[in-house]
Amino acid sequence: GDFIDIWQFRSYYFPKSHSKVIEHVFKFISQGIKVHLLTGNHDEMFRRYSGLKLGNLTLEDKLVLNMDGKRHWFFHGDIFDISMQGSRWLAKLGTTGYEILILINKLVNFILEMMGREKTSFSQQVKKATKKGIKMLSNYELTAAEIALDEGYDFVLNGHTHSPGVKPITTERGTVMYLNSGDWVENMTALEYND
């Protein structure tokens, strides 16, 4: 999800490097590789086309894959975010604040690098310092895990919170492996299935 940020879609916000990522994905499609593009809150306008198939490209809201005899549930994750439910203006305000924080952070890291010091991440520090945010993240992960267990999934994979991680979550109902891809911008993380 959030493959293209419709909320911030402006020419200056979409540099050539972003186009290269899209070109790379379409190269996969032209090579016969199946690509499932899942929608997120920033590209939710595509949700009205969910289920659309164009050759090897499928646009979906969620995806279940059987791999190695295990059921894997993929989705963006914004459906569990209470700030997204009925408070779009609040979510957009938060996104704008986050973008400003990232820009300031880039400037500070540039100065820190010039001084030979280690980079820092403002947004990670803010997330770590906010107990309420940590509780919400924990509830978010638990909710996703409980639904996955109810549906008989072995793995639940998402990325909405941008908090990369791989961990088992155990409840009275059982254990599910929870995976969050993080993001390509701040954490420079992704999930990859290999062999």
Side-chain angles (χ1 to χ4, degrees):
D2 296 349
F3 190 67
I4 296 176
D5 189 353
I6 301 298
W7 292 3
Q8 300 287 334
F9 198 72
R10 295 186 275 289
S11 59
Y12 69 86
Y13 196 80
F14 202 83
K16 192 173 183 177
S17 60
H18 292 190
S19 296
K20 287 182 180 181
V21 172
I22 292 173
E23 288 172 16
H24 194 71
V25 170
F26 278 95
K27 185 177 178 184
F28 284 154
I29 295 166
S30 68
Q31 293 172 342
I33 297 170
K34 289 184 180 180
V35 173
H36 302 272
L37 184 61
L38 302 180
T39 58
N41 53 298
H42 286 261
D43 51 20
E44 70 180 342
M45 70 179 297
F46 296 131
R47 286 186 173 150
R48 70 179 103 176
Y49 305 108
S50 188
L52 177 70
K53 292 183 181 188
L54 296 170
N56 292 317
L57 173 68
T58 305
L59 183 66
E60 301 171 87
D61 297 331
K62 60 185 176 191
L63 175 68
V64 176
L65 293 177
N66 291 311
M67 299 185 298
D68 300 328
K70 304 283 184 183
R71 296 182 74 210
H72 296 69
W73 177 35
F74 296 83
F75 62 98
H76 180 63
D78 57 302
I79 59 169
F80 300 125
D81 186 347
I82 59 169
S83 71
M84 296 300 303
Q85 307 302 322
S87 303
R88 179 158 321 284
W89 69 271
L90 183 61
K92 286 187 178 183
L93 179 65
T95 297
T96 301
Y98 177 79
E99 295 299 333
I100 291 169
L101 189 65
I102 294 295
L103 287 173
I104 293 169
N105 203 159
K106 284 181 181 180
L107 175 63
V108 168
N109 281 337
F110 175 76
I111 293 168
L112 287 173
E113 274 188 313
M114 291 194 59
M115 295 171 57
R117 296 184 56 199
E118 190 175 325
K119 291 181 180 182
T120 188
S121 171
F122 291 166
S123 66
Q124 285 181 353
Q125 290 174 14
V126 168
K127 288 174 191 174
K128 287 178 184 175
T130 308
K131 289 182 183 179
K132 184 177 178 184
I134 292 169
K135 185 179 185 304
M136 284 176 62
L137 178 60
S138 176
N139 290 345
Y140 170 92
E141 293 172 353
L142 183 61
T143 300
E146 287 176 341
I147 292 172
L149 288 165
D150 286 347
E151 297 294 325
Y153 302 131
D154 301 291
F155 290 82
V156 57
L157 302 93
N158 65 92
H160 174 65
T161 62
H162 299 228
S163 301
V166 176
K167 64 182 176 183
I169 297 180
T170 303
T171 71
E172 310 91 42
R173 302 175 194 168
T175 300
V176 66
M177 186 60 74
Y178 174 89
L179 297 94
N180 189 301
S181 59
D183 60 53
W184 296 348
V185 178
E186 183 182 0
N187 295 298
M188 295 182 208
T189 58
L191 295 171
E192 180 180 343
Y193 175 79
N194 197 359
D195 295 324

